[in-house]
Every structure is written in C-alpha cells, then in structure tokens.
Amino acid sequence: MDLLPAWQQNMWERLMRDGTLRSHALLLKGRPGIGKYLFAHMLAKSLLCATPDTRSFACGQCVGCNWFEQHSHPNFALIVPDALAVILISQTSDAYRSTEASAVSSSDQSAKQRTGQQITVDQIRGLNDFVYLTGHQAGYKIVLIYPAETMNTAASNALLKKLEEPPENTLFILVSHQSQRLLPTIRSRCLQIAMPAPDIEMAIEWMLQRWPQRTETGRQIDAQQRDKQQYAHKLLALSGFSPFTALSLLDAIEQHQQFIEAVSTRARFDPLALAGAMQKQELTVTIDWLQKWCYDLTGFLADKRVRYHPDLQARIQSVCQQINLQACLGYLQFLNARQPLSRHPVNPRLFLEEIFIQYGRLLASESSVPEFDE
Ligand SMILES: [Zn+2]
C-alpha cells in the first residue's frame, strides 16, 4: 500500500522535480481532511532522510528517519497549538488516519483543550536558537507550522520577521485550512501550493483500503464489501468529502455502536471493562453519549418518545422493560451534576468507573429504586 494518497502523488513528484524546495517557505493550503498534514510530514521526513529512495520518499531506516519517528530530530521543529500537540504525539504510529480530522474537530473538544488552541508568540520566538544557530552537522532545518492560521497576531508578526530575513538552510512549511486568515505579508513570502483534493472515487478507494479489519461471520464477503462501499459514501458526504475526516467519523460511529451494545445488555454489563474501553476517548464525549442514551430511556418510559436514537427503538424498549422511570430520572440528574467535572477529572478512569457502576444500579432498578448521590 502506497503511503501517499493517490491524489497527492502528482503534487509530490512535481515538488521533487521542479526545484520548488529551494524556496525558504512553503504554504500548503486546502480544505480540512484531505491529508495536507500527512503530506507536509512526509515531505519533512524525506528532506531530513540521508538515503531517500528513487521517488524521494524517506528510507525509514537511517539515523535521521529514526530520530524523526521518535520526535527527536535535532533539525526538525513542529509548531502546533498545545491542544493539538497531545493528539499528534499520541498518534505517531497512525498519523495517517485521523490527524487532520482531529485538528478539524478539536474545536468541539473540551475546555481544557480550548485554552491551548492558538500558536503563541513564545512558540515562534522559541525557534530563534533553532533557526539561527548551526544545526546538527550543519544540516538542513525544517519548521512545520500547523495549522498556520492558529497563530495569534503576535506569533504571526514574529514569524513574519523570520520570513523577512530567512535563516540559511531552513525551510518553513506552513500548512493551512484557511490561508485567507494568514497575514497577507506572510502569504506573499511563501510559495503557495494549493493541495489537491480527491474525487469521490479516489476518496472511497482510499477509505476502503484503510477500513478497520473486523471479523464478521455468517455473511457473504460480497455483501460486506457492498455495505462498506455504501457506508463509505455516506461518511464521505457527512464529512464534506474529506476522506481523512470521514474515516475518523467511522471510528467514532463504531465506538458509539460498541458503547450502545455495552450499556444495553444488563446480563453482560461490566462497568470496569467499559470504563477501560472508553478511557481512550474524550471524557466529555462519553458523558454526552450516556446522557443522550439515558435521555431516550427516560423519554421512552415516560411517553414512548425516542429522540437521539430513532433507529434503536426496539433496543431501548427492551432495556426499559428492566428499569424504572424514577430511577432513570435520578440517574440523569446524577449525570448532569457530574458532567461539568468531566472537563477536569482528577482521575478519568475512576471517574468513568463511578459513572458506570451507578449506571449498573440503574440497569437493575426494576425491583428497587436506587438513590444516586450527586
Ligand atoms: Zn532515511
């Protein structure tokens, strides 16, 4: 499987061929979710590789490549908002899948992350030693700034100064979803590259190649393949035709299905295992799912109303046969009270365990109504 998406290959070859890289600053621009970050990342790695292959891709084996993969290359600086740094570092092995999508959806994430959503002037000033002192073995240095439009005004001005007096042997790669938000003076000092977006067919093919492997039994391979195709089309449309974003939606949808599966079967409900399974996900998202689920349980018990999970009516009905409306209301109240704490939990795992242990009591509320401490 080729690492570079098909729709980027011509661009890659063009860049490698026509000497564009002698420029001291590039601006890769285009809509979110089409793989710009991946492209910039591969470009940086290839330029720092001692023995790139015939198509100029990094070898993946030299010392430079090793450093790069360990995030410790002395000649590479990645400048991203704090909130994004966490996501990028945690995705090292699979940066391909959802890096851009995470960046795109980060505005929906917790308050904790909102505080670090800008690139600050300190981050840009912190580059001084890096760009103006001699690098490792006097080699080429690369600064990757992503997403460039998140630089605040002071940071933009500090970068502008550097672009006005470009340090030697240094390439700035700016990646932007909204390049019109950059200072015009920054834009004009960069070689601007409009990153290609895939057509639908290419996007679907790319998604299907990366579709998570699952073992499904009792169904024909052809039928599975047809389902996937349809599903891929649906997600692609949902994502505004950005395949990276579409795949990350798939992750969330699958996770959501597993979550629903877990919370709707009393016999197999295991609060500790569920807390373990959900701890990779943003805590506020999990609480949101649970609130919506309990809201529907309550609505169904009160007057057969289902708002958030219209396709799961039958399942909701079967859960509701085992629980009590008053307990459901009590649990919802408990959840609502806990929800603000989910933004700053002392221990996320314990927080989830407590929430699910209490939910387990709700699932057994047919015979006696539990009280939930708020
Ligand atoms: Zn290499």
Side-chain angles (χ1 to χ4, degrees):
M1 184 165 65
D2 210 332
L3 277 174
L4 199 66
W7 60 91
Q8 291 182 340
Q9 291 190 7
N10 287 341
M11 179 60 79
W12 180 270
E13 276 152 28
R14 212 192 88 198
L15 279 186
M16 293 303 167
R17 202 173 47 226
D18 71 4
T20 306
L21 297 172
R22 283 195 289 274
S23 164
H24 67 267
L26 304 178
L27 168 57
L28 308 185
K29 56 184 188 177
R31 65 164 197 250
I34 56 171
K36 300 185 299 300
Y37 177 80
L38 169 77
F39 189 92
H41 201 256
M42 288 182 70
L43 186 59
K45 188 174 175 184
S46 128
L47 292 170
L48 294 170
C49 171
T51 53
D53 69 14
T54 51
R55 293 176 66 205
S56 306
F57 290 116
C59 73
Q61 275 151 28
C62 68
V63 178
C65 283
N66 269 323
W67 280 339
F68 194 86
E69 281 156 19
Q70 309 291 320
H71 309 284
S72 61
H73 200 298
N75 285 9
F76 178 66
L78 174 64
I79 304 291
V80 296
D82 279 353
L84 193 52
V86 185
I87 298 167
L88 290 175
I89 301 293
S90 68
Q91 287 182 340
T92 52
S93 58
D94 203 11
Y96 215 131
R97 282 281 297 279
S98 51
T99 302
E100 280 214 5
S102 304
V104 175
S105 64
S106 61
S107 60
D108 303 332
Q109 294 178 6
S110 72
K112 173 189 75 194
Q113 293 196 334
R114 263 199 292 281
T115 58
Q117 299 225 335
Q118 289 191 330
I119 292 173
T120 65
V121 66
D122 288 342
Q123 287 175 276
I124 301 294
R125 286 200 190 122
L127 288 170
N128 283 349
D129 284 356
F130 177 77
V131 297
Y132 293 117
L133 299 180
T134 310
H136 172 76
Q137 296 178 336
Y140 204 48
K141 284 175 284 189
I142 295 178
V143 179
L144 172 52
I145 302 181
Y146 174 78
E149 66 271 17
T150 60
M151 282 187 289
N152 62 25
T153 310
S156 299
N157 287 323
L159 178 69
L160 185 59
K161 279 198 195 118
K162 290 185 172 49
L163 296 180
E164 282 168 346
E165 295 166 34
E168 266 181 67
N169 269 337
T170 302
L171 174 67
F172 288 89
I173 305 177
L174 280 66
V175 179
S176 178
H177 308 307
Q178 294 170 296
S179 60
Q180 72 282 7
R181 284 176 54 198
L182 296 172
L183 290 181
T185 39
I186 287 187
R187 283 204 304 268
S188 68
R189 280 180 171 77
C190 295
L191 184 88
Q192 299 190 39
I193 297 173
M195 289 299 289
D199 60 26
I200 293 182
E201 213 167 282
M202 269 183 187
I204 296 288
E205 194 185 325
W206 181 86
M207 286 173 68
L208 292 178
Q209 281 169 357
R210 281 154 194 83
W211 208 263
Q213 299 288 325
R214 270 169 303 164
T215 46
E216 291 172 78
T217 50
R219 300 181 56 200
Q220 296 297 317
I221 302 286
D222 283 355
Q224 286 180 28
Q225 201 57 31
R226 205 169 47 242
D227 287 355
K228 272 193 220 168
Q229 288 256 9
Q230 281 175 358
Y231 207 36
H233 274 279
K234 198 164 123 184
L235 291 173
L236 190 63
L238 265 179
S239 72
F241 297 94
S242 297
F244 282 67
T245 314
L247 264 195
S248 76
L249 291 178
L250 174 69
D251 286 348
I253 287 174
E254 292 212 323
Q255 177 103 7
H256 185 250
Q257 278 169 353
Q258 286 163 8
F259 169 80
I260 293 294
E261 194 69 39
V263 294
S264 58
T265 41
R266 182 169 81 178
R268 281 180 286 133
F269 183 71
D270 179 344
L272 304 189
L274 184 57
M278 301 305 294
Q279 70 173 351
K280 284 167 278 173
Q281 169 164 284
E282 188 73 25
L283 201 50
T284 51
V285 175
T286 306
I287 301 304
D288 181 60
W289 288 356
L290 191 56
Q291 280 175 314
K292 290 193 165 89
W293 174 249
C294 292
Y295 185 91
D296 273 355
L297 294 179
T298 312
F300 189 88
L301 284 168
D303 56 9
K304 305 269 184 285
R305 190 166 36 85
V306 171
R307 177 172 170 192
Y308 295 108
H309 311 83
D311 50 329
L312 297 176
Q313 183 116 8
R315 189 181 283 251
I316 286 172
Q317 183 171 6
S318 98
V319 175
C320 283
Q321 282 164 2
Q322 307 161 15
I323 62 176
N324 170 294
L325 174 60
Q326 206 184 330
C328 215
L329 285 167
Y331 184 71
L332 251 185
Q333 227 166 17
F334 160 82
L335 260 190
N336 292 341
R338 281 288 188 281
Q339 196 237 6
L341 304 176
S342 69
R343 296 185 186 282
H344 311 281
V346 178
N347 181 328
R349 176 67 182 258
L350 286 182
F351 183 90
L352 275 180
E353 287 181 359
E354 194 213 349
I355 297 276
F356 290 138
I357 287 169
Q358 298 298 332
Y359 179 81
R361 296 175 66 214
L362 168 66
L363 278 183
S365 64
E366 188 184 15
S367 44
S368 69
V369 180
E371 299 229 338
F372 302 101
D373 291 334
E374 281 172 32

